[in-house]
Amino acid sequence: MARASRLTRLVLPLSLLALLISIVVATAFGPVTLAPIDIGRVLLTHVGLGPVDPFVSAATDGIVWSIRLPRVLLGVIVGATLAVTGATLQASTRNVMADPHLLGVSAGAACGAVIATVVAGNLAGQWTLSLFAFIGALLASAAVLILGGWRGALTPSRLLLSGIAVAFTASALANLMLYLGDQRAASSVLFWMLGGLGLARWSLLGVPALCATVGIIWLWARSRALDAMMSGELSATALGIDTARLRRELFVVCALLTAVTVSVSGAIGFVGLVIPHLCRRFSGALHRRLLPLCAVYGALFLIWADVGARVLIAPDDLPIGVITALVGGATLAVLVRRL
């Protein structure tokens, strides 16, 4: 028993080490494969820990620093955020199939992206797509809150049913606008709806990184409350927890986090559904351990899913949602058989 406890405590440090190694190694993959040593030299140069290396070409420097590293780091941010929100929603709704996309947030963001592409054009420059996607996600979240809490408490079943209703409605509106609008825009919107990290730039990372850090810390600070809610409404109420208020707060934070990530990466599914189940096998049910491990494993999963998206049909990009759905679906099938 003591040995198992020590192994559990070692999982997170080892996973963090694997994440750091993966960030460097994954940056090497793409249409042009680079040596990890060259990537290390570029990173040391740009962070001020080494002189400009004459053996690293300007093209290699540009590929690593301006294109691939921001993309890998965006994968870290999005993967960690989706995995943590998925674990939180599964606890707050006591539903093992709960997922950020069941809240209708992704469908709302997709609808906003379609409006940006078909109607708004280049209204806000390079931020147009992300801005409209974020607005769509927030509107969808507000609709779910209103429907779920209409004339009653925000219960788990009402929350999920409201999310499904909003998701179907938003998807129908997006498909209608695509059908009636410019058909040339359909391909770009379809790629965005399936998810991708191709928009990653250093200027785009600041807001998602800040929101993810603050949001994940806020959720982790409520680990004990999440543990109590997993035990049931009566147990949580007996501990003095206002379950309706806490569930509403958790939903709002999770919806905002999902909206931010979807607005910069598109609708990437299965991360928030599958990763928490995998992590529970290493960390147990306590959210004090589960949430940090979900953040690391979600980041690892999305980093390597993006590597597959880059190399499988290089030099073109495969939508990352295809990779996550294939891997996530197979993993979920294995988990279901073992339950």
Side-chain angles (χ1 to χ4, degrees), residues 25-299:
V25 176
T27 308
F29 290 97
V32 178
T33 302
L34 303 175
I37 187 65
D38 290 336
I39 296 171
R41 290 169 176 168
V42 171
L43 296 180
L44 290 175
T45 299
H46 281 276
V47 298
L49 296 179
V52 177
D53 196 318
F55 296 102
V56 178
S57 66
T60 299
D61 183 272
I63 291 173
V64 172
W65 187 255
S66 301
I67 299 176
R68 291 191 188 172
L69 187 59
R71 180 167 179 157
V72 171
L73 293 179
L74 182 61
V76 171
I77 296 168
V78 173
T81 303
L82 291 178
V84 171
T85 54
T88 302
L89 291 172
Q90 288 169 15
S92 62
T93 61
R94 297 189 66 205
N95 188 326
V96 295
M97 300 302 292
D99 174 78
H101 298 284
L102 284 180
L103 300 178
V105 179
S106 297
C111 188
V114 171
I115 294 174
T117 305
V118 177
V119 179
N122 200 29
L123 184 65
Q126 64 174 347
W127 294 93
T128 302
L129 189 64
S130 297
L131 178 62
F132 273 75
F134 182 68
I135 293 173
L138 286 183
L139 291 176
S141 303
V144 173
L145 271 178
I146 293 172
L147 288 175
W150 184 255
R151 299 178 65 182
L154 189 66
T155 61
S157 58
R158 291 172 67 94
L159 181 64
L160 290 176
L161 289 174
S162 300
I164 293 172
V166 171
F168 275 112
T169 303
S171 297
L173 290 175
N175 292 331
L176 178 63
M177 283 186 289
L178 279 178
Y179 182 78
L180 298 177
D182 186 359
Q183 297 301 311
R184 293 174 296 179
S187 59
S188 61
V189 172
L190 178 62
F191 184 88
W192 188 91
M193 292 173 70
L194 292 174
L197 304 176
L199 293 177
R201 298 293 182 271
W202 285 111
S203 59
L204 193 69
L205 296 183
V207 173
L210 177 62
C211 293
T213 302
V214 174
I216 290 174
I217 291 174
W218 189 91
L219 293 174
W220 181 78
R222 282 146 186 82
S223 296
R224 291 187 178 180
L226 289 172
D227 294 338
M229 293 188 73
M230 281 290 288
S231 301
E233 296 279 333
L234 294 178
S235 299
T237 303
L239 293 173
I241 298 174
D242 186 345
T243 56
R245 178 180 176 180
L246 178 61
R247 185 175 291 114
R248 188 176 293 107
E249 292 175 352
L250 292 171
F251 172 76
V252 170
V253 172
C254 289
L256 287 173
L257 288 175
T258 307
V260 171
T261 56
V262 169
S263 68
V264 294
S265 65
I268 301 175
F270 275 96
V271 180
L273 178 62
V274 174
I275 297 300
H277 290 288
L278 291 175
C279 291
R280 287 189 187 97
R281 295 180 173 271
F282 299 104
S283 66
L286 293 178
H287 287 80
R288 179 174 57 86
R289 297 176 180 173
L290 175 63
L291 295 185
L293 199 61
C294 282
V296 177
Y297 272 59

Side-chain angles (χ1 to χ4, degrees), residues 18-28 39 69 72-73 76 303-304:
L19 178 59
L20 292 176
I21 296 173
S22 295
I23 290 173
V24 176
V25 176
T27 308
I39 296 171
L69 187 59
V72 171
L73 293 179
V76 171
I303 283 176
W304 289 107

